Amino acid sequence: MSRNPSASPFTVIAHRGGSGHAPENTLLALDTGIKMGAHWLECDVQLHEGALLLMHDLRLERTTNGKGRLADLPLAELRRLDAGKGQQIPTLEEVLDLVDQRAGMNIELKTWNGTAAAVAKVLREYVAQGWPLDKLMVSSFHLPELYEFRQIAPEIPIGVLLCGVPLDWAGCAVELGAVSLNVSDEFLDERLLADAHARGLKVYVYTVNHPEEIARMKAMGVDGIFTNYPERALG
Ligand code: G3P
Ligand code: MG
């Protein structure tokens, strides 16, 4: 089964926000993604001292003017760092306030040991205030943490992240009750795509930036992509 373009539009997910145009995982990047027309925004979240911080790497050097491991710095110090163009490392709550339902939010759990519970608590507060469930997705490569999230907040959609091809193809996503398989472009086997679709799952592919690869993904019938350049995939 492949995607029927007239039935379901190709979903464009701004990876780490519109990170081709603004410092990744910052409010500026997320706002940029929205302004470019991305349907969804993806961000990476780490739990630290009770705060949910947007940060992909475990270390600070690549994306901030800080040094060392995020986990080794006090929260107040992390919040004083420059994450690019004068941006602060944002919290999940700041992100949700900024986005304010203007796009779907895919929150990727990068840490464990309580991250699932902390994210579930925050998202439930926003859902209670009117954020629609179909504009939320929680994902992770850490499947036990994702399983824990599922146990705590079964009403919030989840996506299984894969950077490989499991022996049972898309089976783990069904087992977890996920709505989608979010798979690396390096491992997009047609059989994995077909199996996911046969099981009623969406398939979103990361991170697809080159126009030729975007066209290839569309031709293969994937349901959407994560891209740093949303404008290349829209239209
Ligand atoms: O969620 C898709 C993608 O963000 C997963 O990989 O390393 O960019 O977080 P990474
Ligand atoms: Mg990510």
Side-chain angles (χ1 to χ4, degrees):
M1 186 178 21
S2 63
R3 184 179 57 86
N4 174 353
S6 62
S8 62
F10 191 73
T11 301
V12 177
I13 308 164
H15 182 238
R16 308 179 193 173
S19 58
H21 303 280
E24 68 180 52
N25 282 317
T26 62
L27 294 183
L28 182 61
L30 293 155
D31 203 45
T32 300
I34 294 170
K35 287 187 175 134
M36 295 191 136
H39 307 121
W40 284 72
L41 309 168
E42 185 259 2
C43 65
D44 305 298
V45 167
Q46 300 188 33
L47 178 66
H48 181 60
E49 290 183 8
L52 289 162
L53 299 174
L54 262 70
M55 174 73 70
H56 179 273
D57 297 3
L58 297 180
R59 293 190 65 86
L60 298 164
E61 288 86 351
R62 185 179 63 82
T63 59
T64 76
N65 60 348
K67 282 189 173 51
R69 290 173 66 86
L70 179 148
D72 291 340
L73 264 73
L75 180 59
E77 213 170 306
L78 290 169
R79 295 277 279 165
R80 282 196 293 272
L81 296 178
D82 185 344
K85 293 193 175 163
Q87 293 284 300
Q88 196 177 25
I89 298 172
T91 64
L92 180 59
E93 291 91 331
E94 287 169 346
V95 166
L96 293 168
D97 288 343
L98 172 95
V99 176
D100 194 22
Q101 304 176 33
R102 289 180 293 157
M105 278 305 305
N106 173 199
I107 295 129
E108 181 185 343
L109 312 178
K110 279 293 185 202
T111 50
W112 43 93
N113 294 336
T115 311
V119 169
K121 183 170 181 290
V122 169
L123 293 186
R124 278 194 155 154
E125 285 164 13
Y126 282 80
V127 169
Q129 290 162 27
W131 194 299
L133 287 168
D134 63 3
K135 283 182 130 179
L136 285 177
M137 179 196 283
V138 169
S139 61
S140 190
F141 290 106
H142 195 302
L143 300 190
E145 194 69 18
L146 196 58
Y147 176 80
E148 194 177 323
F149 182 87
R150 185 79 186 146
Q151 299 307 303
I152 298 167
E155 74 280 14
I156 297 176
I158 61 168
V160 166
L161 269 165
L162 287 182
C163 188
V165 183
L167 200 52
D168 66 345
W169 304 100
C172 61
V174 174
E175 198 178 329
L176 280 161
V179 296
S180 73
L181 206 58
N182 303 354
V183 64
S184 164
D185 57 351
E186 292 173 67
F187 293 100
L188 185 64
D189 185 316
E190 294 87 347
R191 290 168 293 177
L192 180 62
L193 177 62
D195 186 58
H197 280 165
R199 294 174 189 264
L201 299 161
K202 300 283 189 194
V203 176
Y204 303 119
V205 182
Y206 67 88
T207 302
V208 190
N209 291 325
H210 195 288
E212 284 173 17
E213 292 305 307
I214 293 171
R216 196 169 71 85
M217 291 301 132
K218 288 182 175 176
M220 277 183 81
V222 310
D223 299 284
I225 56 163
F226 297 83
T227 179
N228 300 347
Y229 302 93
E231 76 283 7
R232 295 181 186 173
L234 289 161

